[in-house]
Amino acid sequence: MLTGKTAIIFDACMGFYSEEYFREMLVLERKRSERSKKPFLFVTIEINPEYKIHRDIRFSRRMQKFIMNATREIDIKGWLERHRTMGLIYNEYNPDFTETILTKIRTAIEDSFGPELSKGMALSWSLFPEEEADDHADDSVADPRLYPRPSKRIDANKFSRCAKRCIDIAGSLVGIILLSPVLVFTAIAVKLSSKGPVFFTQKRVGQGGRLFTFIKFRSMRVSQDCSAHKEFIKQFIQN
């Protein structure tokens, strides 16, 4: 058996990817979808915590039957939370068939686990990429399962992160003070050269999928059509 953080490890009983590896596959699928613009369906099935499924061999057999009835060979199956939440990734599929797939999953759950156990299993789903948010979207954090935070090992070193943050802020303040004459001159030049605001603001995506406001001196006319630039950047990212 392969070992290591990125090794392919199947759950011996369920035939699922392990929790850690499945989460890595989910992030990789999100990145692939962002580049190719080919959507995928992400389905989660929460199991009633009262079910001691890791001790019930009958549940394991029902799980294997469910996998065969509800998924294809190319679909990614695994534990989002071991013995509590199943995760299914349907890639390379047509979004028009979403309801058909969900109906197939619900039918497979009832056929595999029976009406009693099926009542304790909650089905939820999401489609990625999601529809583009409007211009008034707030600075909410994206789904943490698709945009996971840095590892615990990195987060544990709080002193280094704090020190780096302090250096960044101090360096920025010193730079602003030293360059203030140039910045003031640039602001005046922008204001006198064309009508409109001095600064240009735009929503950007930062670490962890968090939105932030990007600010710079305006270098284009206010009435300028930026659709050509957006199309160029879109093609650049896809290629």
Side-chain angles (χ1 to χ4, degrees), residues 35-58:
R35 291 184 175 89
S36 66
K37 298 302 180 182
K38 294 181 179 180
F40 70 89
L41 180 67
F42 176 42
V43 178
T44 59
I45 304 173
E46 296 185 14
I47 305 173
N48 191 322
E50 296 181 359
Y51 299 159
K52 305 299 181 181
I53 64 176
H54 58 290
R55 301 178 183 176
D56 191 348
I57 189 62
R58 293 174 299 177

mmCIF file with all atom_site columns, all heavy atoms in Angstrom, residues 35-58:
data_model
loop_
_atom_site.group_PDB
_atom_site.id
_atom_site.type_symbol
_atom_site.label_atom_id
_atom_site.label_alt_id
_atom_site.label_comp_id
_atom_site.label_asym_id
_atom_site.label_entity_id
_atom_site.label_seq_id
_atom_site.pdbx_PDB_ins_code
_atom_site.Cartn_x
_atom_site.Cartn_y
_atom_site.Cartn_z
_atom_site.occupancy
_atom_site.B_iso_or_equiv
_atom_site.pdbx_formal_charge
_atom_site.auth_seq_id
_atom_site.auth_comp_id
_atom_site.auth_asym_id
_atom_site.auth_atom_id
_atom_site.pdbx_PDB_model_num
ATOM 1   N N   . ARG A 1 35 ? -10.120 26.200 -14.446 1.00 0.00 ? 35 ARG A N   1
ATOM 2   C CA  . ARG A 1 35 ? -9.335  26.382 -15.672 1.00 0.00 ? 35 ARG A CA  1
ATOM 3   C C   . ARG A 1 35 ? -10.111 25.949 -16.916 1.00 0.00 ? 35 ARG A C   1
ATOM 4   O O   . ARG A 1 35 ? -10.098 26.626 -17.937 1.00 0.00 ? 35 ARG A O   1
ATOM 5   C CB  . ARG A 1 35 ? -8.031  25.597 -15.573 1.00 0.00 ? 35 ARG A CB  1
ATOM 6   C CG  . ARG A 1 35 ? -7.050  26.141 -14.550 1.00 0.00 ? 35 ARG A CG  1
ATOM 7   C CD  . ARG A 1 35 ? -5.746  25.371 -14.582 1.00 0.00 ? 35 ARG A CD  1
ATOM 8   N NE  . ARG A 1 35 ? -4.745  25.936 -13.700 1.00 0.00 ? 35 ARG A NE  1
ATOM 9   C CZ  . ARG A 1 35 ? -4.597  25.618 -12.432 1.00 0.00 ? 35 ARG A CZ  1
ATOM 10  N NH1 . ARG A 1 35 ? -5.397  24.727 -11.889 1.00 0.00 ? 35 ARG A NH1 1
ATOM 11  N NH2 . ARG A 1 35 ? -3.655  26.189 -11.690 1.00 0.00 ? 35 ARG A NH2 1
ATOM 12  N N   . SER A 1 36 ? -10.767 24.812 -16.837 1.00 0.00 ? 36 SER A N   1
ATOM 13  C CA  . SER A 1 36 ? -11.432 24.252 -18.015 1.00 0.00 ? 36 SER A CA  1
ATOM 14  C C   . SER A 1 36 ? -12.848 24.759 -18.209 1.00 0.00 ? 36 SER A C   1
ATOM 15  O O   . SER A 1 36 ? -13.412 24.607 -19.297 1.00 0.00 ? 36 SER A O   1
ATOM 16  C CB  . SER A 1 36 ? -11.469 22.725 -17.906 1.00 0.00 ? 36 SER A CB  1
ATOM 17  O OG  . SER A 1 36 ? -12.298 22.318 -16.816 1.00 0.00 ? 36 SER A OG  1
ATOM 18  N N   . LYS A 1 37 ? -13.435 25.356 -17.142 1.00 0.00 ? 37 LYS A N   1
ATOM 19  C CA  . LYS A 1 37 ? -14.824 25.816 -17.171 1.00 0.00 ? 37 LYS A CA  1
ATOM 20  C C   . LYS A 1 37 ? -15.807 24.661 -17.336 1.00 0.00 ? 37 LYS A C   1
ATOM 21  O O   . LYS A 1 37 ? -16.958 24.875 -17.705 1.00 0.00 ? 37 LYS A O   1
ATOM 22  C CB  . LYS A 1 37 ? -15.041 26.852 -18.281 1.00 0.00 ? 37 LYS A CB  1
ATOM 23  C CG  . LYS A 1 37 ? -14.218 28.117 -18.101 1.00 0.00 ? 37 LYS A CG  1
ATOM 24  C CD  . LYS A 1 37 ? -14.510 28.799 -16.775 1.00 0.00 ? 37 LYS A CD  1
ATOM 25  C CE  . LYS A 1 37 ? -13.683 30.051 -16.595 1.00 0.00 ? 37 LYS A CE  1
ATOM 26  N NZ  . LYS A 1 37 ? -13.916 30.704 -15.288 1.00 0.00 ? 37 LYS A NZ  1
ATOM 27  N N   . LYS A 1 38 ? -15.349 23.440 -17.073 1.00 0.00 ? 38 LYS A N   1
ATOM 28  C CA  . LYS A 1 38 ? -16.231 22.288 -17.103 1.00 0.00 ? 38 LYS A CA  1
ATOM 29  C C   . LYS A 1 38 ? -16.742 22.035 -15.681 1.00 0.00 ? 38 LYS A C   1
ATOM 30  O O   . LYS A 1 38 ? -15.953 21.767 -14.783 1.00 0.00 ? 38 LYS A O   1
ATOM 31  C CB  . LYS A 1 38 ? -15.497 21.055 -17.623 1.00 0.00 ? 38 LYS A CB  1
ATOM 32  C CG  . LYS A 1 38 ? -15.068 21.166 -19.082 1.00 0.00 ? 38 LYS A CG  1
ATOM 33  C CD  . LYS A 1 38 ? -14.365 19.910 -19.540 1.00 0.00 ? 38 LYS A CD  1
ATOM 34  C CE  . LYS A 1 38 ? -13.953 20.025 -21.008 1.00 0.00 ? 38 LYS A CE  1
ATOM 35  N NZ  . LYS A 1 38 ? -13.251 18.810 -21.477 1.00 0.00 ? 38 LYS A NZ  1
ATOM 36  N N   . PRO A 1 39 ? -18.041 22.135 -15.456 1.00 0.00 ? 39 PRO A N   1
ATOM 37  C CA  . PRO A 1 39 ? -18.577 22.050 -14.094 1.00 0.00 ? 39 PRO A CA  1
ATOM 38  C C   . PRO A 1 39 ? -18.543 20.638 -13.524 1.00 0.00 ? 39 PRO A C   1
ATOM 39  O O   . PRO A 1 39 ? -18.416 19.654 -14.253 1.00 0.00 ? 39 PRO A O   1
ATOM 40  C CB  . PRO A 1 39 ? -20.015 22.538 -14.261 1.00 0.00 ? 39 PRO A CB  1
ATOM 41  C CG  . PRO A 1 39 ? -20.371 22.150 -15.658 1.00 0.00 ? 39 PRO A CG  1
ATOM 42  C CD  . PRO A 1 39 ? -19.102 22.320 -16.465 1.00 0.00 ? 39 PRO A CD  1
ATOM 43  N N   . PHE A 1 40 ? -18.655 20.562 -12.226 1.00 0.00 ? 40 PHE A N   1
ATOM 44  C CA  . PHE A 1 40 ? -18.817 19.273 -11.562 1.00 0.00 ? 40 PHE A CA  1
ATOM 45  C C   . PHE A 1 40 ? -19.861 19.410 -10.468 1.00 0.00 ? 40 PHE A C   1
ATOM 46  O O   . PHE A 1 40 ? -20.098 20.495 -9.923  1.00 0.00 ? 40 PHE A O   1
ATOM 47  C CB  . PHE A 1 40 ? -17.484 18.754 -10.990 1.00 0.00 ? 40 PHE A CB  1
ATOM 48  C CG  . PHE A 1 40 ? -16.958 19.525 -9.806  1.00 0.00 ? 40 PHE A CG  1
ATOM 49  C CD1 . PHE A 1 40 ? -17.317 19.179 -8.506  1.00 0.00 ? 40 PHE A CD1 1
ATOM 50  C CD2 . PHE A 1 40 ? -16.087 20.584 -9.990  1.00 0.00 ? 40 PHE A CD2 1
ATOM 51  C CE1 . PHE A 1 40 ? -16.822 19.881 -7.422  1.00 0.00 ? 40 PHE A CE1 1
ATOM 52  C CE2 . PHE A 1 40 ? -15.572 21.295 -8.913  1.00 0.00 ? 40 PHE A CE2 1
ATOM 53  C CZ  . PHE A 1 40 ? -15.945 20.938 -7.627  1.00 0.00 ? 40 PHE A CZ  1
ATOM 54  N N   . LEU A 1 41 ? -20.499 18.304 -10.165 1.00 0.00 ? 41 LEU A N   1
ATOM 55  C CA  . LEU A 1 41 ? -21.533 18.262 -9.139  1.00 0.00 ? 41 LEU A CA  1
ATOM 56  C C   . LEU A 1 41 ? -20.935 17.652 -7.874  1.00 0.00 ? 41 LEU A C   1
ATOM 57  O O   . LEU A 1 41 ? -20.362 16.563 -7.914  1.00 0.00 ? 41 LEU A O   1
ATOM 58  C CB  . LEU A 1 41 ? -22.726 17.427 -9.613  1.00 0.00 ? 41 LEU A CB  1
ATOM 59  C CG  . LEU A 1 41 ? -23.897 17.298 -8.639  1.00 0.00 ? 41 LEU A CG  1
ATOM 60  C CD1 . LEU A 1 41 ? -24.580 18.645 -8.453  1.00 0.00 ? 41 LEU A CD1 1
ATOM 61  C CD2 . LEU A 1 41 ? -24.905 16.263 -9.158  1.00 0.00 ? 41 LEU A CD2 1
ATOM 62  N N   . PHE A 1 42 ? -21.063 18.365 -6.753  1.00 0.00 ? 42 PHE A N   1
ATOM 63  C CA  . PHE A 1 42 ? -20.526 17.906 -5.474  1.00 0.00 ? 42 PHE A CA  1
ATOM 64  C C   . PHE A 1 42 ? -21.698 17.554 -4.562  1.00 0.00 ? 42 PHE A C   1
ATOM 65  O O   . PHE A 1 42 ? -22.507 18.406 -4.218  1.00 0.00 ? 42 PHE A O   1
ATOM 66  C CB  . PHE A 1 42 ? -19.655 18.986 -4.850  1.00 0.00 ? 42 PHE A CB  1
ATOM 67  C CG  . PHE A 1 42 ? -19.124 18.642 -3.488  1.00 0.00 ? 42 PHE A CG  1
ATOM 68  C CD1 . PHE A 1 42 ? -18.635 17.369 -3.225  1.00 0.00 ? 42 PHE A CD1 1
ATOM 69  C CD2 . PHE A 1 42 ? -19.100 19.582 -2.471  1.00 0.00 ? 42 PHE A CD2 1
ATOM 70  C CE1 . PHE A 1 42 ? -18.136 17.042 -1.974  1.00 0.00 ? 42 PHE A CE1 1
ATOM 71  C CE2 . PHE A 1 42 ? -18.608 19.269 -1.230  1.00 0.00 ? 42 PHE A CE2 1
ATOM 72  C CZ  . PHE A 1 42 ? -18.125 18.004 -0.971  1.00 0.00 ? 42 PHE A CZ  1
ATOM 73  N N   . VAL A 1 43 ? -21.793 16.290 -4.190  1.00 0.00 ? 43 VAL A N   1
ATOM 74  C CA  . VAL A 1 43 ? -22.908 15.789 -3.383  1.00 0.00 ? 43 VAL A CA  1
ATOM 75  C C   . VAL A 1 43 ? -22.377 15.292 -2.040  1.00 0.00 ? 43 VAL A C   1
ATOM 76  O O   . VAL A 1 43 ? -21.343 14.607 -1.979  1.00 0.00 ? 43 VAL A O   1
ATOM 77  C CB  . VAL A 1 43 ? -23.650 14.647 -4.109  1.00 0.00 ? 43 VAL A CB  1
ATOM 78  C CG1 . VAL A 1 43 ? -24.778 14.106 -3.238  1.00 0.00 ? 43 VAL A CG1 1
ATOM 79  C CG2 . VAL A 1 43 ? -24.183 15.119 -5.451  1.00 0.00 ? 43 VAL A CG2 1
ATOM 80  N N   . THR A 1 44 ? -23.065 15.664 -0.973  1.00 0.00 ? 44 THR A N   1
ATOM 81  C CA  . THR A 1 44 ? -22.717 15.156 0.354   1.00 0.00 ? 44 THR A CA  1
ATOM 82  C C   . THR A 1 44 ? -23.923 14.435 0.950   1.00 0.00 ? 44 THR A C   1
ATOM 83  O O   . THR A 1 44 ? -25.069 14.859 0.751   1.00 0.00 ? 44 THR A O   1
ATOM 84  C CB  . THR A 1 44 ? -22.277 16.280 1.302   1.00 0.00 ? 44 THR A CB  1
ATOM 85  O OG1 . THR A 1 44 ? -23.337 17.238 1.441   1.00 0.00 ? 44 THR A OG1 1
ATOM 86  C CG2 . THR A 1 44 ? -21.036 16.978 0.764   1.00 0.00 ? 44 THR A CG2 1
ATOM 87  N N   . ILE A 1 45 ? -23.647 13.361 1.664   1.00 0.00 ? 45 ILE A N   1
ATOM 88  C CA  . ILE A 1 45 ? -24.695 12.579 2.321   1.00 0.00 ? 45 ILE A CA  1
ATOM 89  C C   . ILE A 1 45 ? -24.308 12.408 3.778   1.00 0.00 ? 45 ILE A C   1
ATOM 90  O O   . ILE A 1 45 ? -23.343 11.702 4.101   1.00 0.00 ? 45 ILE A O   1
ATOM 91  C CB  . ILE A 1 45 ? -24.872 11.202 1.650   1.00 0.00 ? 45 ILE A CB  1
ATOM 92  C CG1 . ILE A 1 45 ? -25.161 11.378 0.148   1.00 0.00 ? 45 ILE A CG1 1
ATOM 93  C CG2 . ILE A 1 45 ? -25.987 10.415 2.330   1.00 0.00 ? 45 ILE A CG2 1
ATOM 94  C CD1 . ILE A 1 45 ? -25.170 10.074 -0.617  1.00 0.00 ? 45 ILE A CD1 1
ATOM 95  N N   . GLU A 1 46 ? -25.036 13.076 4.653   1.00 0.00 ? 46 GLU A N   1
ATOM 96  C CA  . GLU A 1 46 ? -24.766 13.002 6.085   1.00 0.00 ? 46 GLU A CA  1
ATOM 97  C C   . GLU A 1 46 ? -25.513 11.829 6.694   1.00 0.00 ? 46 GLU A C   1
ATOM 98  O O   . GLU A 1 46 ? -26.705 11.638 6.452   1.00 0.00 ? 46 GLU A O   1
ATOM 99  C CB  . GLU A 1 46 ? -25.172 14.301 6.772   1.00 0.00 ? 46 GLU A CB  1
ATOM 100 C CG  . GLU A 1 46 ? -24.367 15.511 6.323   1.00 0.00 ? 46 GLU A CG  1
ATOM 101 C CD  . GLU A 1 46 ? -24.707 16.750 7.111   1.00 0.00 ? 46 GLU A CD  1
ATOM 102 O OE1 . GLU A 1 46 ? -25.371 16.609 8.164   1.00 0.00 ? 46 GLU A OE1 1
ATOM 103 O OE2 . GLU A 1 46 ? -24.325 17.852 6.682   1.00 0.00 ? 46 GLU A OE2 1
ATOM 104 N N   . ILE A 1 47 ? -24.790 11.056 7.490   1.00 0.00 ? 47 ILE A N   1
ATOM 105 C CA  . ILE A 1 47 ? -25.353 9.857  8.103   1.00 0.00 ? 47 ILE A CA  1
ATOM 106 C C   . ILE A 1 47 ? -25.684 10.137 9.563   1.00 0.00 ? 47 ILE A C   1
ATOM 107 O O   . ILE A 1 47 ? -24.925 10.805 10.263  1.00 0.00 ? 47 ILE A O   1
ATOM 108 C CB  . ILE A 1 47 ? -24.360 8.688  8.007   1.00 0.00 ? 47 ILE A CB  1
ATOM 109 C CG1 . ILE A 1 47 ? -23.954 8.478  6.538   1.00 0.00 ? 47 ILE A CG1 1
ATOM 110 C CG2 . ILE A 1 47 ? -24.955 7.414  8.581   1.00 0.00 ? 47 ILE A CG2 1
ATOM 111 C CD1 . ILE A 1 47 ? -22.840 7.463  6.370   1.00 0.00 ? 47 ILE A CD1 1
ATOM 112 N N   . ASN A 1 48 ? -26.808 9.651  9.993   1.00 0.00 ? 48 ASN A N   1
ATOM 113 C CA  . ASN A 1 48 ? -27.213 9.818  11.390  1.00 0.00 ? 48 ASN A CA  1
ATOM 114 C C   . ASN A 1 48 ? -26.102 9.314  12.317  1.00 0.00 ? 48 ASN A C   1
ATOM 115 O O   . ASN A 1 48 ? -25.656 8.169  12.200  1.00 0.00 ? 48 ASN A O   1
ATOM 116 C CB  . ASN A 1 48 ? -28.501 9.032  11.653  1.00 0.00 ? 48 ASN A CB  1
ATOM 117 C CG  . ASN A 1 48 ? -29.121 9.368  12.998  1.00 0.00 ? 48 ASN A CG  1
ATOM 118 O OD1 . ASN A 1 48 ? -28.432 9.581  13.989  1.00 0.00 ? 48 ASN A OD1 1
ATOM 119 N ND2 . ASN A 1 48 ? -30.447 9.404  13.031  1.00 0.00 ? 48 ASN A ND2 1
ATOM 120 N N   . PRO A 1 49 ? -25.607 10.177 13.241  1.00 0.00 ? 49 PRO A N   1
ATOM 121 C CA  . PRO A 1 49 ? -24.510 9.757  14.129  1.00 0.00 ? 49 PRO A CA  1
ATOM 122 C C   . PRO A 1 49 ? -24.847 8.576  15.021  1.00 0.00 ? 49 PRO A C   1
ATOM 123 O O   . PRO A 1 49 ? -23.941 7.953  15.592  1.00 0.00 ? 49 PRO A O   1
ATOM 124 C CB  . PRO A 1 49 ? -24.228 11.022 14.958  1.00 0.00 ? 49 PRO A CB  1
ATOM 125 C CG  . PRO A 1 49 ? -25.474 11.835 14.868  1.00 0.00 ? 49 PRO A CG  1
ATOM 126 C CD  . PRO A 1 49 ? -26.046 11.551 13.502  1.00 0.00 ? 49 PRO A CD  1
ATOM 127 N N   . GLU A 1 50 ? -26.140 8.246  15.140  1.00 0.00 ? 50 GLU A N   1
ATOM 128 C CA  . GLU A 1 50 ? -26.526 7.091  15.958  1.00 0.00 ? 50 GLU A CA  1
ATOM 129 C C   . GLU A 1 50 ? -26.158 5.776  15.282  1.00 0.00 ? 50 GLU A C   1
ATOM 130 O O   . GLU A 1 50 ? -26.058 4.741  15.942  1.00 0.00 ? 50 GLU A O   1
ATOM 131 C CB  . GLU A 1 50 ? -28.024 7.129  16.249  1.00 0.00 ? 50 GLU A CB  1
ATOM 132 C CG  . GLU A 1 50 ? -28.451 8.329  17.098  1.00 0.00 ? 50 GLU A CG  1
ATOM 133 C CD  . GLU A 1 50 ? -29.938 8.326  17.377  1.00 0.00 ? 50 GLU A CD  1
ATOM 134 O OE1 . GLU A 1 50 ? -30.625 7.384  16.891  1.00 0.00 ? 50 GLU A OE1 1
ATOM 135 O OE2 . GLU A 1 50 ? -30.416 9.231  18.072  1.00 0.00 ? 50 GLU A OE2 1
ATOM 136 N N   . TYR A 1 51 ? -25.952 5.808  13.968  1.00 0.00 ? 51 TYR A N   1
ATOM 137 C CA  . TYR A 1 51 ? -25.601 4.585  13.240  1.00 0.00 ? 51 TYR A CA  1
ATOM 138 C C   . TYR A 1 51 ? -24.119 4.279  13.464  1.00 0.00 ? 51 TYR A C   1
ATOM 139 O O   . TYR A 1 51 ? -23.254 5.070  13.102  1.00 0.00 ? 51 TYR A O   1
ATOM 140 C CB  . TYR A 1 51 ? -25.862 4.729  11.745  1.00 0.00 ? 51 TYR A CB  1
ATOM 141 C CG  . TYR A 1 51 ? -27.305 4.990  11.389  1.00 0.00 ? 51 TYR A CG  1
ATOM 142 C CD1 . TYR A 1 51 ? -27.634 5.558  10.161  1.00 0.00 ? 51 TYR A CD1 1
ATOM 143 C CD2 . TYR A 1 51 ? -28.346 4.663  12.255  1.00 0.00 ? 51 TYR A CD2 1
ATOM 144 C CE1 . TYR A 1 51 ? -28.950 5.806  9.810   1.00 0.00 ? 51 TYR A CE1 1
ATOM 145 C CE2 . TYR A 1 51 ? -29.658 4.914  11.912  1.00 0.00 ? 51 TYR A CE2 1
ATOM 146 C CZ  . TYR A 1 51 ? -29.958 5.486  10.699  1.00 0.00 ? 51 TYR A CZ  1
ATOM 147 O OH  . TYR A 1 51 ? -31.258 5.737  10.359  1.00 0.00 ? 51 TYR A OH  1
ATOM 148 N N   . LYS A 1 52 ? -23.816 3.155  14.045  1.00 0.00 ? 52 LYS A N   1
ATOM 149 C CA  . LYS A 1 52 ? -22.425 2.741  14.272  1.00 0.00 ? 52 LYS A CA  1
ATOM 150 C C   . LYS A 1 52 ? -21.959 1.957  13.037  1.00 0.00 ? 52 LYS A C   1
ATOM 151 O O   . LYS A 1 52 ? -21.758 0.742  13.074  1.00 0.00 ? 52 LYS A O   1
ATOM 152 C CB  . LYS A 1 52 ? -22.312 1.892  15.541  1.00 0.00 ? 52 LYS A CB  1
ATOM 153 C CG  . LYS A 1 52 ? -22.859 2.568  16.784  1.00 0.00 ? 52 LYS A CG  1
ATOM 154 C CD  . LYS A 1 52 ? -22.110 3.870  17.103  1.00 0.00 ? 52 LYS A CD  1
ATOM 155 C CE  . LYS A 1 52 ? -22.653 4.520  18.369  1.00 0.00 ? 52 LYS A CE  1
ATOM 156 N NZ  . LYS A 1 52 ? -21.960 5.794  18.690  1.00 0.00 ? 52 LYS A NZ  1
ATOM 157 N N   . ILE A 1 53 ? -21.800 2.693  11.939  1.00 0.00 ? 53 ILE A N   1
ATOM 158 C CA  . ILE A 1 53 ? -21.576 2.019  10.662  1.00 0.00 ? 53 ILE A CA  1
ATOM 159 C C   . ILE A 1 53 ? -20.228 1.321  10.601  1.00 0.00 ? 53 ILE A C   1
ATOM 160 O O   . ILE A 1 53 ? -20.052 0.345  9.876   1.00 0.00 ? 53 ILE A O   1
ATOM 161 C CB  . ILE A 1 53 ? -21.704 3.016  9.502   1.00 0.00 ? 53 ILE A CB  1
ATOM 162 C CG1 . ILE A 1 53 ? -20.617 4.087  9.585   1.00 0.00 ? 53 ILE A CG1 1
ATOM 163 C CG2 . ILE A 1 53 ? -23.060 3.665  9.496   1.00 0.00 ? 53 ILE A CG2 1
ATOM 164 C CD1 . ILE A 1 53 ? -20.640 5.043  8.408   1.00 0.00 ? 53 ILE A CD1 1
ATOM 165 N N   . HIS A 1 54 ? -19.222 1.823  11.353  1.00 0.00 ? 54 HIS A N   1
ATOM 166 C CA  . HIS A 1 54 ? -17.909 1.192  11.301  1.00 0.00 ? 54 HIS A CA  1
ATOM 167 C C   . HIS A 1 54 ? -17.906 -0.158 12.011  1.00 0.00 ? 54 HIS A C   1
ATOM 168 O O   . HIS A 1 54 ? -16.944 -0.913 11.908  1.00 0.00 ? 54 HIS A O   1
ATOM 169 C CB  . HIS A 1 54 ? -16.859 2.115  11.915  1.00 0.00 ? 54 HIS A CB  1
ATOM 170 C CG  . HIS A 1 54 ? -17.130 2.502  13.330  1.00 0.00 ? 54 HIS A CG  1
ATOM 171 N ND1 . HIS A 1 54 ? -18.156 3.356  13.678  1.00 0.00 ? 54 HIS A ND1 1
ATOM 172 C CD2 . HIS A 1 54 ? -16.514 2.149  14.476  1.00 0.00 ? 54 HIS A CD2 1
ATOM 173 C CE1 . HIS A 1 54 ? -18.156 3.515  14.996  1.00 0.00 ? 54 HIS A CE1 1
ATOM 174 N NE2 . HIS A 1 54 ? -17.178 2.795  15.500  1.00 0.00 ? 54 HIS A NE2 1
ATOM 175 N N   . ARG A 1 55 ? -18.980 -0.455 12.729  1.00 0.00 ? 55 ARG A N   1
ATOM 176 C CA  . ARG A 1 55 ? -19.078 -1.737 13.432  1.00 0.00 ? 55 ARG A CA  1
ATOM 177 C C   . ARG A 1 55 ? -20.093 -2.670 12.774  1.00 0.00 ? 55 ARG A C   1
ATOM 178 O O   . ARG A 1 55 ? -20.277 -3.798 13.234  1.00 0.00 ? 55 ARG A O   1
ATOM 179 C CB  . ARG A 1 55 ? -19.491 -1.505 14.894  1.00 0.00 ? 55 ARG A CB  1
ATOM 180 C CG  . ARG A 1 55 ? -18.523 -0.623 15.687  1.00 0.00 ? 55 ARG A CG  1
ATOM 181 C CD  . ARG A 1 55 ? -19.041 -0.419 17.094  1.00 0.00 ? 55 ARG A CD  1
ATOM 182 N NE  . ARG A 1 55 ? -18.172 0.472  17.856  1.00 0.00 ? 55 ARG A NE  1
ATOM 183 C CZ  . ARG A 1 55 ? -18.416 0.887  19.106  1.00 0.00 ? 55 ARG A CZ  1
ATOM 184 N NH1 . ARG A 1 55 ? -19.515 0.453  19.724  1.00 0.00 ? 55 ARG A NH1 1
ATOM 185 N NH2 . ARG A 1 55 ? -17.587 1.704  19.724  1.00 0.00 ? 55 ARG A NH2 1
ATOM 186 N N   . ASP A 1 56 ? -20.763 -2.201 11.737  1.00 0.00 ? 56 ASP A N   1
ATOM 187 C CA  . ASP A 1 56 ? -21.844 -2.961 11.108  1.00 0.00 ? 56 ASP A CA  1
ATOM 188 C C   . ASP A 1 56 ? -21.414 -3.400 9.718   1.00 0.00 ? 56 ASP A C   1
ATOM 189 O O   . ASP A 1 56 ? -21.362 -2.606 8.788   1.00 0.00 ? 56 ASP A O   1
ATOM 190 C CB  . ASP A 1 56 ? -23.098 -2.088 11.042  1.00 0.00 ? 56 ASP A CB  1
ATOM 191 C CG  . ASP A 1 56 ? -24.332 -2.886 10.638  1.00 0.00 ? 56 ASP A CG  1
ATOM 192 O OD1 . ASP A 1 56 ? -24.170 -4.040 10.197  1.00 0.00 ? 56 ASP A OD1 1
ATOM 193 O OD2 . ASP A 1 56 ? -25.442 -2.353 10.746  1.00 0.00 ? 56 ASP A OD2 1
ATOM 194 N N   . ILE A 1 57 ? -21.089 -4.684 9.552   1.00 0.00 ? 57 ILE A N   1
ATOM 195 C CA  . ILE A 1 57 ? -20.651 -5.193 8.261   1.00 0.00 ? 57 ILE A CA  1
ATOM 196 C C   . ILE A 1 57 ? -21.775 -5.135 7.240   1.00 0.00 ? 57 ILE A C   1
ATOM 197 O O   . ILE A 1 57 ? -21.551 -4.980 6.033   1.00 0.00 ? 57 ILE A O   1
ATOM 198 C CB  . ILE A 1 57 ? -20.138 -6.650 8.401   1.00 0.00 ? 57 ILE A CB  1
ATOM 199 C CG1 . ILE A 1 57 ? -19.487 -7.097 7.091   1.00 0.00 ? 57 ILE A CG1 1
ATOM 200 C CG2 . ILE A 1 57 ? -21.278 -7.562 8.814   1.00 0.00 ? 57 ILE A CG2 1
ATOM 201 C CD1 . ILE A 1 57 ? -18.276 -6.301 6.693   1.00 0.00 ? 57 ILE A CD1 1
ATOM 202 N N   . ARG A 1 58 ? -23.039 -5.192 7.694   1.00 0.00 ? 58 ARG A N   1
ATOM 203 C CA  . ARG A 1 58 ? -24.177 -5.107 6.779   1.00 0.00 ? 58 ARG A CA  1
ATOM 204 C C   . ARG A 1 58 ? -24.246 -3.715 6.152   1.00 0.00 ? 58 ARG A C   1
ATOM 205 O O   . ARG A 1 58 ? -24.591 -3.570 4.983   1.00 0.00 ? 58 ARG A O   1
ATOM 206 C CB  . ARG A 1 58 ? -25.472 -5.419 7.537   1.00 0.00 ? 58 ARG A CB  1
ATOM 207 C CG  . ARG A 1 58 ? -25.588 -6.855 8.025   1.00 0.00 ? 58 ARG A CG  1
ATOM 208 C CD  . ARG A 1 58 ? -26.813 -7.028 8.886   1.00 0.00 ? 58 ARG A CD  1
ATOM 209 N NE  . ARG A 1 58 ? -26.758 -6.179 10.067  1.00 0.00 ? 58 ARG A NE  1
ATOM 210 C CZ  . ARG A 1 58 ? -27.719 -6.081 10.981  1.00 0.00 ? 58 ARG A CZ  1
ATOM 211 N NH1 . ARG A 1 58 ? -28.836 -6.776 10.820  1.00 0.00 ? 58 ARG A NH1 1
ATOM 212 N NH2 . ARG A 1 58 ? -27.587 -5.303 12.021  1.00 0.00 ? 58 ARG A NH2 1
#
